[in-house]
Amino acid sequence: MPFTPFHFGPGIVAKACAPHRFWLSTFVAANVLIDLEVLYYLHHGEAPVHRYLHTYIGGVAMGLVAAFGMFAVTVLLIRCLSVDSRWMQEQRSVPKGKLLRESMFAGLLGGVSHVLLDSLMHHDMNPLWPFAQGNALAGTIEVGTLHGALGLTGFFGVILWLFLR
Ligand SMILES: [Zn+2]
């Protein structure tokens, strides 16, 4: 959907619960990558706008792309920047394999949760492609209710994050 920030709520809650180990940047990147598909088809006026990236396979793929991309950026920052911030020290103290696993977890959570949440409201999706056509979950929750719930999740996630800091 074009309202990508609504998807960030669950990620903000996860970040509040595990501030040093949950990669919110990867979670957000996975969600943005998936919705580039919608922007592309909206721009070209072609329906349906939810195609391959709005399937569980597409979501997992974009989650992994985001995970490897953010991991690569982090490793580059650790190696190339001479600034020695607390964040840099934390990242340097963690083995690279663990950093990659953390990034992959956030990317996969972002990708799969995006497809699941979108499938609750978009009738043009085929989330189980290529194994099944159609979207049985579409319309199970009213769009305004879903947006409200996700907005509140994000809001309370920020409050929780600030409170736990
Ligand atoms: Zn979407």
Side-chain angles (χ1 to χ4, degrees), residues 1-4 7 31 34-38 50 53-54 114-115 118 122 125:
M1 68 181 192
F3 303 108
T4 313
H7 286 278
N31 279 284
I34 292 171
D35 270 349
L36 289 178
E37 174 179 62
V38 175
H50 299 94
L53 299 187
H54 282 78
H114 188 109
V115 173
D118 270 7
H122 297 300
M125 286 176 62

Side-chain angles (χ1 to χ4, degrees), residues 3 6 15 28 44-46 49 52-53 58 62 76 111 131 135 139:
F3 303 108
F6 281 109
K15 184 69 179 175
V28 167
H44 288 85
E46 295 176 30
V49 296
Y52 302 107
L53 299 187
M62 290 302 99
L76 273 176
F131 308 107
N135 179 13

Side-chain angles (χ1 to χ4, degrees), residues 18 26 140 146:
T26 302
T140 50
L146 184 59

Side-chain angles (χ1 to χ4, degrees), residues 8-139:
F8 301 163
I12 295 170
V13 171
K15 184 69 179 175
C17 295
H20 298 290
R21 300 280 52 103
F22 184 74
W23 289 44
L24 183 60
S25 55
T26 302
F27 182 91
V28 167
N31 279 284
V32 170
L33 285 173
I34 292 171
D35 270 349
L36 289 178
E37 174 179 62
V38 175
L39 284 180
Y40 176 85
Y41 288 115
L42 282 175
H43 179 71
H44 288 85
E46 295 176 30
V49 296
H50 299 94
R51 300 189 189 190
Y52 302 107
L53 299 187
H54 282 78
T55 63
Y56 285 106
I57 288 179
V60 165
M62 290 302 99
L64 292 176
V65 168
F68 284 109
M70 294 310 295
F71 174 73
V73 167
T74 299
V75 170
L76 273 176
L77 288 175
I78 291 171
R79 286 192 182 156
C80 299
L81 286 186
S82 56
V83 182
D84 204 25
S85 68
R86 205 175 97 199
W87 181 83
M88 291 285 226
Q89 291 171 357
E90 271 182 33
Q91 303 311 312
R92 283 192 186 110
S93 70
V94 179
K96 299 282 186 299
K98 187 166 190 274
L99 289 177
L100 181 58
R101 284 194 301 277
E102 291 171 354
S103 187
M104 285 176 70
F105 174 77
L108 292 173
L109 187 65
V112 171
S113 69
H114 188 109
V115 173
L116 175 65
L117 291 170
D118 270 7
S119 70
L120 296 175
M121 66 178 130
H122 297 300
H123 292 271
D124 65 343
M125 286 176 62
N126 295 292
L128 298 177
W129 177 89
F131 308 107
Q133 292 292 315
N135 179 13
L137 292 178

